[in-house]
Amino acid sequence: MYNFIFFTNVLRILDERHMTKNELAERSGVSISFLSDLTTGKANPSLKVMEAIAAALETPLPLLLESTDLDRAALDALAGGKMLSSLPAGYERVCAVLPEHRAFQIKKWGEETRKKLRELDTTQKDY
């Protein structure tokens, strides 16, 4: 499933940057045939290959693995049932492209939420 999230993010970034698979192959050192297999779900990239692709896209690898534009139903289908979440009920991880002034506020909310989640985690471990 994470391969699917990875390659859909790679395809999205290629599209956003008007970049071709050939350009990505040249920048990353990954063969065009492997990239084609990867972006059709036929390849299983190693961590080293994913790092090379992330570096070529100038995008942090965790972002390529964690964030997705796929909705919950699509993720559940890929997982073959209900996809497990590392977040407690009532919380959702989102990815968005925003103007700087709005991103600033979202980052602040994110910091506050991470603090609450750490406190919640600590409280639950005490029991």
Side-chain angles (χ1 to χ4, degrees):
M1 178 178 63
Y2 285 99
N3 284 349
F4 189 81
I5 292 170
F6 179 76
F7 83 72
T8 56
N9 282 324
V10 168
L11 288 172
R12 177 183 49 78
I13 291 170
L14 286 174
D15 182 57
E16 288 173 356
R17 297 186 182 170
H18 307 289
M19 198 172 160
T20 66
K21 288 181 194 174
N22 283 328
E23 290 173 299
L24 179 58
E26 288 174 19
R27 290 182 184 186
S28 67
V30 176
S31 74
I32 187 67
S33 62
F34 187 82
L35 283 175
S36 292
D37 286 347
L38 173 68
T39 55
T40 57
K42 297 176 186 173
N44 187 13
S46 67
L47 181 57
K48 186 175 181 174
V49 167
M50 289 189 287
E51 287 173 335
I53 292 169
L57 293 173
E58 299 174 351
T59 303
L61 180 56
L63 187 65
L64 293 176
L65 293 169
E66 187 175 283
S67 300
T68 182
D69 292 339
L70 300 171
D71 62 20
R72 175 57 62 190
L75 290 171
D76 287 345
L78 285 172
K82 182 126 177 88
M83 184 178 154
L84 297 176
S85 175
S86 61
L87 299 173
Y91 287 86
E92 182 179 346
R93 184 173 282 116
V94 296
C95 176
V97 177
L98 302 167
E100 285 183 21
H101 68 282
R102 291 197 175 169
F104 175 81
Q105 184 60 51
I106 300 300
K107 288 176 186 176
K108 289 293 183 190
W109 291 341
E111 290 169 10
E112 292 170 13
T113 301
R114 282 189 295 279
K115 182 179 177 185
K116 287 178 187 176
L117 288 173
R118 281 192 299 274
E119 291 169 1
L120 180 63
D121 188 43
T122 303
T123 322
Q124 289 178 347
K125 287 181 181 176
D126 290 341
Y127 291 103

